[in-house]
Amino acid sequence: DREAREAPGVSRLYTEQRRGFPVRAGFESRLGQLALGYRWEEIRLFDVSPGLAAQAGAASVEPVRVAAVGGESFYDSLNRFPFPDRGARRRVKVELAGPALGSDVRFASLIFDWLWVHSFAVRHTVSIGVGLGFSMGDVPFAELPRLGGVDSIVGYFDGELFARNTQRVNLSY
């Protein structure tokens, strides 16, 4: 139920508690999935560090009920984990929340993540990644688009960076 978010070498950022349920229907294949759904959650944040509360700005760190409808598409043809040498991965997620659905807040969000990997010779691999996160409305802190981690921005804790809108481009050799 509770998930503590900490950055290595940094004091605890916050503890998050989510209670609720999702309802999803979709199609799943060997390479990906396509799904539509509804979720209702009560989100509480505990032990929020003062610096994090200040960074959150207009996004509320108060308890909130979120009810949303949305869709998600995921495709993954990367040939192996953790060091692929060919393939692609794509994720698109759209969500709409509002009082008509049972939510305390009204917001919309779009998350797009894409990665392409290709090897030109043994041990010579290039990867290109793009990530976009957009949100509008009364977005609670716990629902803001996130960056950080090995698949996003190396050197930052997974989800450590957040903002109403996020963009990133990665090029690796």
PDB file of all heavy atoms in Angstrom, residues 24 39 70-73 91-95 109-113 132 134 143:
ATOM      1  N   ARG A  24      -9.862  -2.543 -16.310  1.00  0.00           N
ATOM      2  CA  ARG A  24      -9.250  -2.416 -17.632  1.00  0.00           C
ATOM      3  C   ARG A  24      -9.755  -3.508 -18.554  1.00  0.00           C
ATOM      4  O   ARG A  24      -9.989  -4.635 -18.122  1.00  0.00           O
ATOM      5  CB  ARG A  24      -7.729  -2.518 -17.540  1.00  0.00           C
ATOM      6  CG  ARG A  24      -7.089  -1.359 -16.854  1.00  0.00           C
ATOM      7  CD  ARG A  24      -5.605  -1.588 -16.625  1.00  0.00           C
ATOM      8  NE  ARG A  24      -4.869  -1.972 -17.800  1.00  0.00           N
ATOM      9  CZ  ARG A  24      -4.002  -1.203 -18.429  1.00  0.00           C
ATOM     10  NH1 ARG A  24      -3.759  -0.002 -17.987  1.00  0.00           N
ATOM     11  NH2 ARG A  24      -3.348  -1.626 -19.491  1.00  0.00           N
ATOM     12  N   ARG A  39     -10.191   4.086 -13.431  1.00  0.00           N
ATOM     13  CA  ARG A  39      -9.570   3.849 -12.125  1.00  0.00           C
ATOM     14  C   ARG A  39     -10.104   4.859 -11.125  1.00  0.00           C
ATOM     15  O   ARG A  39     -10.391   5.994 -11.464  1.00  0.00           O
ATOM     16  CB  ARG A  39      -8.050   3.901 -12.187  1.00  0.00           C
ATOM     17  CG  ARG A  39      -7.474   5.276 -12.340  1.00  0.00           C
ATOM     18  CD  ARG A  39      -5.939   5.223 -12.361  1.00  0.00           C
ATOM     19  NE  ARG A  39      -5.409   6.508 -12.732  1.00  0.00           N
ATOM     20  CZ  ARG A  39      -4.908   7.389 -11.881  1.00  0.00           C
ATOM     21  NH1 ARG A  39      -4.811   7.092 -10.601  1.00  0.00           N
ATOM     22  NH2 ARG A  39      -4.462   8.556 -12.290  1.00  0.00           N
ATOM     23  N   GLY A  70      -9.233   6.326 -19.334  1.00  0.00           N
ATOM     24  CA  GLY A  70      -8.065   6.512 -20.185  1.00  0.00           C
ATOM     25  C   GLY A  70      -7.784   5.314 -21.051  1.00  0.00           C
ATOM     26  O   GLY A  70      -8.487   4.308 -21.020  1.00  0.00           O
ATOM     27  N   GLY A  71      -6.733   5.465 -21.821  1.00  0.00           N
ATOM     28  CA  GLY A  71      -6.286   4.402 -22.696  1.00  0.00           C
ATOM     29  C   GLY A  71      -4.781   4.351 -22.729  1.00  0.00           C
ATOM     30  O   GLY A  71      -4.104   5.348 -22.471  1.00  0.00           O
ATOM     31  N   GLU A  72      -4.266   3.163 -23.025  1.00  0.00           N
ATOM     32  CA  GLU A  72      -2.818   2.989 -23.084  1.00  0.00           C
ATOM     33  C   GLU A  72      -2.469   2.001 -24.184  1.00  0.00           C
ATOM     34  O   GLU A  72      -3.133   0.985 -24.368  1.00  0.00           O
ATOM     35  CB  GLU A  72      -2.295   2.475 -21.750  1.00  0.00           C
ATOM     36  CG  GLU A  72      -0.802   2.333 -21.697  1.00  0.00           C
ATOM     37  CD  GLU A  72      -0.296   2.000 -20.296  1.00  0.00           C
ATOM     38  OE1 GLU A  72      -1.102   1.733 -19.398  1.00  0.00           O
ATOM     39  OE2 GLU A  72       0.926   2.024 -20.127  1.00  0.00           O
ATOM     40  N   SER A  73      -1.414   2.331 -24.920  1.00  0.00           N
ATOM     41  CA  SER A  73      -0.883   1.447 -25.949  1.00  0.00           C
ATOM     42  C   SER A  73       0.593   1.237 -25.658  1.00  0.00           C
ATOM     43  O   SER A  73       1.320   2.193 -25.385  1.00  0.00           O
ATOM     44  CB  SER A  73      -1.054   2.095 -27.330  1.00  0.00           C
ATOM     45  OG  SER A  73      -0.376   1.339 -28.312  1.00  0.00           O
ATOM     46  N   ARG A  91       5.335   3.669 -25.808  1.00  0.00           N
ATOM     47  CA  ARG A  91       4.218   3.692 -24.860  1.00  0.00           C
ATOM     48  C   ARG A  91       3.494   5.024 -25.008  1.00  0.00           C
ATOM     49  O   ARG A  91       4.121   6.075 -25.002  1.00  0.00           O
ATOM     50  CB  ARG A  91       4.731   3.545 -23.436  1.00  0.00           C
ATOM     51  CG  ARG A  91       3.638   3.642 -22.395  1.00  0.00           C
ATOM     52  CD  ARG A  91       4.224   3.428 -21.007  1.00  0.00           C
ATOM     53  NE  ARG A  91       3.218   3.686 -20.009  1.00  0.00           N
ATOM     54  CZ  ARG A  91       3.316   4.614 -19.072  1.00  0.00           C
ATOM     55  NH1 ARG A  91       4.389   5.370 -18.998  1.00  0.00           N
ATOM     56  NH2 ARG A  91       2.352   4.790 -18.201  1.00  0.00           N
ATOM     57  N   VAL A  92       2.176   4.964 -25.131  1.00  0.00           N
ATOM     58  CA  VAL A  92       1.332   6.160 -25.177  1.00  0.00           C
ATOM     59  C   VAL A  92       0.212   5.943 -24.167  1.00  0.00           C
ATOM     60  O   VAL A  92      -0.449   4.901 -24.185  1.00  0.00           O
ATOM     61  CB  VAL A  92       0.728   6.395 -26.583  1.00  0.00           C
ATOM     62  CG1 VAL A  92      -0.167   7.610 -26.587  1.00  0.00           C
ATOM     63  CG2 VAL A  92       1.815   6.519 -27.628  1.00  0.00           C
ATOM     64  N   LYS A  93       0.016   6.931 -23.297  1.00  0.00           N
ATOM     65  CA  LYS A  93      -1.034   6.826 -22.283  1.00  0.00           C
ATOM     66  C   LYS A  93      -1.778   8.153 -22.197  1.00  0.00           C
ATOM     67  O   LYS A  93      -1.167   9.211 -22.110  1.00  0.00           O
ATOM     68  CB  LYS A  93      -0.412   6.500 -20.920  1.00  0.00           C
ATOM     69  CG  LYS A  93      -1.425   6.342 -19.813  1.00  0.00           C
ATOM     70  CD  LYS A  93      -0.740   5.995 -18.499  1.00  0.00           C
ATOM     71  CE  LYS A  93      -1.754   5.865 -17.382  1.00  0.00           C
ATOM     72  NZ  LYS A  93      -1.109   5.606 -16.098  1.00  0.00           N
ATOM     73  N   VAL A  94      -3.102   8.089 -22.221  1.00  0.00           N
ATOM     74  CA  VAL A  94      -3.962   9.273 -22.120  1.00  0.00           C
ATOM     75  C   VAL A  94      -4.937   9.037 -20.981  1.00  0.00           C
ATOM     76  O   VAL A  94      -5.493   7.939 -20.853  1.00  0.00           O
ATOM     77  CB  VAL A  94      -4.752   9.496 -23.433  1.00  0.00           C
ATOM     78  CG1 VAL A  94      -5.702  10.656 -23.304  1.00  0.00           C
ATOM     79  CG2 VAL A  94      -3.813   9.691 -24.598  1.00  0.00           C
ATOM     80  N   GLU A  95      -5.146  10.076 -20.151  1.00  0.00           N
ATOM     81  CA  GLU A  95      -6.083   9.957 -19.034  1.00  0.00           C
ATOM     82  C   GLU A  95      -6.846  11.252 -18.843  1.00  0.00           C
ATOM     83  O   GLU A  95      -6.279  12.336 -18.969  1.00  0.00           O
ATOM     84  CB  GLU A  95      -5.315   9.638 -17.750  1.00  0.00           C
ATOM     85  CG  GLU A  95      -5.795   8.398 -17.101  1.00  0.00           C
ATOM     86  CD  GLU A  95      -5.083   8.080 -15.808  1.00  0.00           C
ATOM     87  OE1 GLU A  95      -4.311   8.864 -15.259  1.00  0.00           O
ATOM     88  OE2 GLU A  95      -5.360   6.973 -15.340  1.00  0.00           O
ATOM     89  N   SER A 109      -4.043  14.200 -18.932  1.00  0.00           N
ATOM     90  CA  SER A 109      -2.613  13.956 -19.072  1.00  0.00           C
ATOM     91  C   SER A 109      -2.332  13.069 -20.277  1.00  0.00           C
ATOM     92  O   SER A 109      -3.163  12.248 -20.667  1.00  0.00           O
ATOM     93  CB  SER A 109      -2.031  13.317 -17.807  1.00  0.00           C
ATOM     94  OG  SER A 109      -2.535  12.011 -17.634  1.00  0.00           O
ATOM     95  N   LEU A 110      -1.160  13.292 -20.864  1.00  0.00           N
ATOM     96  CA  LEU A 110      -0.682  12.511 -22.001  1.00  0.00           C
ATOM     97  C   LEU A 110       0.779  12.177 -21.736  1.00  0.00           C
ATOM     98  O   LEU A 110       1.578  13.070 -21.435  1.00  0.00           O
ATOM     99  CB  LEU A 110      -0.794  13.312 -23.302  1.00  0.00           C
ATOM    100  CG  LEU A 110      -0.069  12.732 -24.518  1.00  0.00           C
ATOM    101  CD1 LEU A 110      -0.730  11.442 -24.976  1.00  0.00           C
ATOM    102  CD2 LEU A 110      -0.024  13.746 -25.641  1.00  0.00           C
ATOM    103  N   ILE A 111       1.115  10.897 -21.833  1.00  0.00           N
ATOM    104  CA  ILE A 111       2.487  10.435 -21.661  1.00  0.00           C
ATOM    105  C   ILE A 111       2.887   9.701 -22.939  1.00  0.00           C
ATOM    106  O   ILE A 111       2.156   8.836 -23.417  1.00  0.00           O
ATOM    107  CB  ILE A 111       2.618   9.455 -20.461  1.00  0.00           C
ATOM    108  CG1 ILE A 111       2.072  10.072 -19.182  1.00  0.00           C
ATOM    109  CG2 ILE A 111       4.052   8.976 -20.311  1.00  0.00           C
ATOM    110  CD1 ILE A 111       2.853  11.220 -18.641  1.00  0.00           C
ATOM    111  N   PHE A 112       4.046  10.054 -23.492  1.00  0.00           N
ATOM    112  CA  PHE A 112       4.574   9.400 -24.687  1.00  0.00           C
ATOM    113  C   PHE A 112       6.024   9.046 -24.417  1.00  0.00           C
ATOM    114  O   PHE A 112       6.801   9.879 -23.952  1.00  0.00           O
ATOM    115  CB  PHE A 112       4.492  10.337 -25.899  1.00  0.00           C
ATOM    116  CG  PHE A 112       5.156   9.786 -27.129  1.00  0.00           C
ATOM    117  CD1 PHE A 112       4.523   8.839 -27.904  1.00  0.00           C
ATOM    118  CD2 PHE A 112       6.425  10.210 -27.491  1.00  0.00           C
ATOM    119  CE1 PHE A 112       5.140   8.324 -29.034  1.00  0.00           C
ATOM    120  CE2 PHE A 112       7.052   9.707 -28.614  1.00  0.00           C
ATOM    121  CZ  PHE A 112       6.413   8.759 -29.394  1.00  0.00           C
ATOM    122  N   ASP A 113       6.400   7.802 -24.690  1.00  0.00           N
ATOM    123  CA  ASP A 113       7.776   7.350 -24.499  1.00  0.00           C
ATOM    124  C   ASP A 113       8.148   6.460 -25.672  1.00  0.00           C
ATOM    125  O   ASP A 113       7.391   5.542 -26.028  1.00  0.00           O
ATOM    126  CB  ASP A 113       7.888   6.574 -23.176  1.00  0.00           C
ATOM    127  CG  ASP A 113       9.318   6.326 -22.770  1.00  0.00           C
ATOM    128  OD1 ASP A 113      10.188   7.156 -23.087  1.00  0.00           O
ATOM    129  OD2 ASP A 113       9.568   5.290 -22.123  1.00  0.00           O
ATOM    130  N   LEU A 132       7.843  12.439 -23.578  1.00  0.00           N
ATOM    131  CA  LEU A 132       7.035  13.647 -23.423  1.00  0.00           C
ATOM    132  C   LEU A 132       5.945  13.373 -22.397  1.00  0.00           C
ATOM    133  O   LEU A 132       5.335  12.307 -22.406  1.00  0.00           O
ATOM    134  CB  LEU A 132       6.374  14.039 -24.740  1.00  0.00           C
ATOM    135  CG  LEU A 132       7.294  14.260 -25.935  1.00  0.00           C
ATOM    136  CD1 LEU A 132       6.483  14.390 -27.205  1.00  0.00           C
ATOM    137  CD2 LEU A 132       8.140  15.490 -25.719  1.00  0.00           C
ATOM    138  N   PHE A 134       2.644  15.608 -20.754  1.00  0.00           N
ATOM    139  CA  PHE A 134       1.863  16.846 -20.722  1.00  0.00           C
ATOM    140  C   PHE A 134       0.668  16.663 -19.794  1.00  0.00           C
ATOM    141  O   PHE A 134       0.039  15.608 -19.788  1.00  0.00           O
ATOM    142  CB  PHE A 134       1.353  17.219 -22.119  1.00  0.00           C
ATOM    143  CG  PHE A 134       2.443  17.483 -23.099  1.00  0.00           C
ATOM    144  CD1 PHE A 134       2.781  16.544 -24.050  1.00  0.00           C
ATOM    145  CD2 PHE A 134       3.150  18.682 -23.065  1.00  0.00           C
ATOM    146  CE1 PHE A 134       3.797  16.781 -24.958  1.00  0.00           C
ATOM    147  CE2 PHE A 134       4.165  18.931 -23.967  1.00  0.00           C
ATOM    148  CZ  PHE A 134       4.493  17.971 -24.914  1.00  0.00           C
ATOM    149  N   GLU A 143       0.265  12.756  -9.470  1.00  0.00           N
ATOM    150  CA  GLU A 143      -0.081  12.426 -10.852  1.00  0.00           C
ATOM    151  C   GLU A 143       0.741  13.202 -11.885  1.00  0.00           C
ATOM    152  O   GLU A 143       0.513  13.070 -13.077  1.00  0.00           O
ATOM    153  CB  GLU A 143      -1.570  12.697 -11.090  1.00  0.00           C
ATOM    154  CG  GLU A 143      -2.487  11.858 -10.234  1.00  0.00           C
ATOM    155  CD  GLU A 143      -2.408  10.378 -10.575  1.00  0.00           C
ATOM    156  OE1 GLU A 143      -2.481  10.030 -11.769  1.00  0.00           O
ATOM    157  OE2 GLU A 143      -2.258   9.571  -9.643  1.00  0.00           O
TER     158      GLU A 143
END
